[in-house]
Amino acid sequence: MNRHPVIAIDGPAAAGKGTLARRLAEALGLPYLDTGLLYRAVGRRVLDEGGDPSDPGSAERAALGLHPDDLQRNDLRGPEADAAASAVAAIPGVRAALLDFQRNFAALRGAVLDGRDIGTVIFPNASVKLFVTATEQERARRRWLEMRAKGHEVALSAVEQELHARDVRDAGRDAAPLCAAPDAFVLDTTHIDADAAFSVALAEVKARL
Ligand code: CDP
């Protein structure tokens, strides 16, 4: 095994990347970084100041001022944070400001990172790249169940719309658009549960390392 393996896990919203990445990290004894939190925290900082997350000046300032403590906030999830994250994430200056943090995170011991551009931009030479996906309908259903479990009463159709809008923006932007790296293993989890996804992914990772 590579001494410092980097496992890149990309995919669209609510595909199950986080759960999978966390479990892989634990199984492999590697640190884990949810890179979506970085964009979420930048979006939050802009909202805190009463700014517009799609304004490049405000978003870049927020990204440059990001502090590791910001990732611990408990208001980084939910529709408002989702939309703000996706808006700041389309701004090249924001992505540039977050690049070193992500690369440094894996420098010491390797890492498992999940996001949208880990295998394409942040670590194009990652030891293993997985692209985790599922149909839009299934992903919306999972996010809806997740929200209900947290006590948020929302309509499934509203979650579907929000997820669709975010996917379109993430995949259509010029800066590091969401897409599978050519050498990524594509894992479609539409018809399999989290345990099965983990088994398939772990076998693929072990085969590739
Ligand atoms: O958990 P979920 O899949 O809904 O989202 P996330 O991974 O936390 O990412 C939130 C937003 O941050 C995404 O919609 C992207 O716009 C952005 N993001 C990104 O552009 N690049 C990354 N590496 C991670 C997230």
Side-chain angles (χ1 to χ4, degrees):
M1 184 164 114
N2 187 328
R3 261 198 330 134
H4 300 303
V6 173
I7 317 287
I9 303 186
D10 291 305
K17 303 179 300 287
T19 309
L20 180 64
R22 201 169 286 112
R23 288 181 69 175
L24 284 174
E26 200 180 297
L28 299 165
L30 292 171
Y32 163 58
L33 181 63
D34 170 358
T35 66
L37 283 184
L38 300 171
Y39 298 90
R40 290 173 177 278
V42 172
R44 241 327 141 205
R45 284 178 64 107
V46 178
L47 293 175
D48 283 350
E49 287 167 7
D52 172 3
S54 57
D55 170 55
S58 315
E60 284 172 30
R61 255 196 320 281
L64 290 168
L66 195 69
H67 189 274
D69 287 350
D70 294 326
L71 306 184
Q72 309 299 329
R73 291 176 63 149
N74 60 8
D75 55 359
L76 300 181
R77 309 245 168 230
E80 193 189 26
D82 292 349
S86 177
V88 300
I91 298 165
V94 168
R95 307 200 72 86
L98 301 177
L99 191 76
D100 285 349
F101 180 86
Q102 295 173 81
R103 292 201 175 140
N104 291 340
F105 184 84
L108 212 56
R109 297 203 286 132
V112 178
L113 302 95
D114 83 65
R116 301 291 186 287
D117 63 339
I118 309 303
T120 50
V121 175
I122 309 295
F123 288 105
N125 298 320
S127 327
V128 184
K129 300 177 186 178
L130 303 179
F131 190 82
V132 183
T133 188
T135 59
E136 196 167 282
Q137 205 183 12
E138 176 58 15
R139 290 185 287 111
R141 194 186 68 86
R142 290 179 191 167
R143 182 54 46 95
W144 178 70
L145 287 175
E146 223 173 82
M147 292 172 80
R148 278 172 52 114
K150 286 185 191 159
H152 303 301
E153 284 302 328
V154 283
L156 176 59
S157 58
V159 178
E160 269 169 5
Q161 266 175 27
E162 190 271 336
L163 196 109
H164 177 75
R166 196 146 60 92
D167 281 352
V168 168
R169 176 150 57 181
D170 289 349
R173 68 190 179 207
D174 291 331
L178 162 71
C179 68
D183 52 347
F185 173 77
V186 178
L187 177 56
D188 186 335
T189 68
T190 306
H191 302 293
I192 59 175
D193 65 12
D195 285 345
F198 173 64
S199 303
V200 175
L202 185 62
E204 184 63 27
V205 168
K206 285 187 170 164
R208 290 192 178 208
L209 280 180

